[in-house]
Amino acid sequence: MPSGKYNRETHTVRSPSEKPHKTMNLDKGLKIRYVNIAGAIHRKVPDILAMASLTDVDIIFITEIKFLGEESLNLDGRTWYGNNLVSFHAGGGVGVLVKDHIAAYPCDIQHIQQGRNQTFWLEVPISREQLVFSLMYWPTDSQSNDVQTIHYLNNMINQLDAKGKTPVVIGNLNAHMSTQNIQARTTNSRGNLLLKWAEESRRTILNNTEVSKGTYTRQQGENKSTLDYCIVPSNKAHLFIKMTIDEDGNLDTVTDHHWITVDIQRNSVTEELLEQENQQWIVDGNTDWQAFSSYLNSELQKSGSQPYHIEQLIQENGVD
């Protein structure tokens, strides 16, 4: 198990401009894990340490960590990023633990901090896919700003979409909705608002798909509810091959929220097309690159992948 500690003094939160010089090999994909720990970090460090010791978990997302100012969590082999509280609240604070070899960095985007309503954006390249995770804590006491929060989220995601990136929202959204796979005893306006936004913005709520195993993300005694979600672009939903909600509590016994694990595969569409085209086309200095580029991009658009720039293709294939 890696060594680590809860540190009230060491400041390890990087600014968005600091991009660590790291390399990574994620040819087999990415495994992420998320939980709302509802504070009391000093009692829960052992659980987080145990989770961090699992070599197959690449990134750990945490909400309601309740860190103030420059408080941080230091673990050997992982880097901590966070959006800490500026003053004490009953809840809030979000943070991420990333394996040191992974080239993840805070996205140069507005990290929201409205009272206890918080987000933190982390960019993670995987193969040719540029994933941008929005770790979000959306408490119930901010319902009066729900429309404003959706507007902010929509604007940020539209910007990322326009840049060809893949935004993923994950966190405690405190939304109650009733769908085919999410059976809530009661719904709330936020749940309805989130469902409408997902439909209009062409997003898929992974909790509501067949790849999701488990339903309830929180349990207090006999009371069960779904409050934590993972939302992805519908045209990239095929990359998210498995979502597991630990309803049995095998991974943690301290918080009343369950760990959520998401397995993400690399986007092999581009690589497969390149391999096919290298077999069907004579890729050399005499290649009709204009026709090749048009055909390749048309196939990528059909699959929902971003267009491929011919200059990059030439460089990667070593064609003069």
Side-chain angles (χ1 to χ4, degrees), residues 235-285:
N235 66 339
K236 298 295 179 69
H238 62 279
L239 299 177
F240 301 82
I241 58 177
K242 186 179 180 181
M243 174 176 172
T244 305
I245 301 170
D246 181 40
E247 288 186 310
D248 295 330
N250 295 321
L251 298 176
D252 180 50
T253 57
V254 180
T255 176
D256 55 7
H257 287 255
H258 300 310
W259 285 93
I260 295 175
T261 305
V262 180
D263 291 292
I264 307 168
Q265 66 178 356
R266 66 184 179 88
N267 191 348
S268 59
V269 175
T270 301
E271 287 85 348
E272 291 172 359
L273 283 171
L274 285 173
E275 183 178 351
Q276 293 171 12
E277 291 308 300
N278 276 326
Q279 294 173 356
Q280 297 174 17
W281 295 68
I282 301 175
V283 181
D284 56 24

Side-chain angles (χ1 to χ4, degrees), residues 177-196:
M177 60 182 71
S178 185
T179 66
Q180 182 176 353
N181 291 354
I182 307 170
Q183 301 298 323
R185 290 184 303 173
T186 59
T187 61
N188 61 7
S189 59
R190 181 178 296 173
N192 297 330
L193 185 64
L194 202 60
L195 281 172
K196 181 180 179 182

Side-chain angles (χ1 to χ4, degrees), residues 140-266:
T140 55
D141 60 8
S142 65
Q143 287 185 357
S144 60
N145 296 321
D146 279 1
V147 174
Q148 181 182 353
T149 301
I150 283 287
H151 182 68
Y152 155 81
L153 196 60
N154 193 60
N155 283 344
M156 297 300 102
I157 284 178
N158 284 342
Q159 290 179 35
L160 294 168
D161 284 343
K163 295 177 181 178
K165 299 185 179 183
T166 303
V168 179
V169 179
I170 190 167
N172 181 5
L173 308 184
N174 282 297
H176 295 274
M177 60 182 71
S178 185
T179 66
Q180 182 176 353
N181 291 354
I182 307 170
Q183 301 298 323
R185 290 184 303 173
T186 59
T187 61
N188 61 7
S189 59
R190 181 178 296 173
N192 297 330
L193 185 64
L194 202 60
L195 281 172
K196 181 180 179 182
W197 170 75
E199 180 180 3
E200 292 178 350
S201 62
R202 297 182 294 279
R203 307 289 141 181
T204 293
I205 300 174
L206 282 188
N207 307 57
N208 194 36
T209 67
E210 61 184 14
V211 305
S212 178
K213 307 303 179 185
T215 301
Y216 301 108
T217 67
R218 186 190 188 195
Q219 181 171 353
Q220 289 182 306
E222 297 299 318
N223 296 323
K224 300 178 180 180
S225 56
T226 303
L227 303 177
D228 309 270
Y229 297 88
C230 183
I231 305 174
V232 305
S234 294
N235 66 339
K236 298 295 179 69
H238 62 279
L239 299 177
F240 301 82
I241 58 177
K242 186 179 180 181
M243 174 176 172
T244 305
I245 301 170
D246 181 40
E247 288 186 310
D248 295 330
N250 295 321
L251 298 176
D252 180 50
T253 57
V254 180
T255 176
D256 55 7
H257 287 255
H258 300 310
W259 285 93
I260 295 175
T261 305
V262 180
D263 291 292
I264 307 168
Q265 66 178 356
R266 66 184 179 88

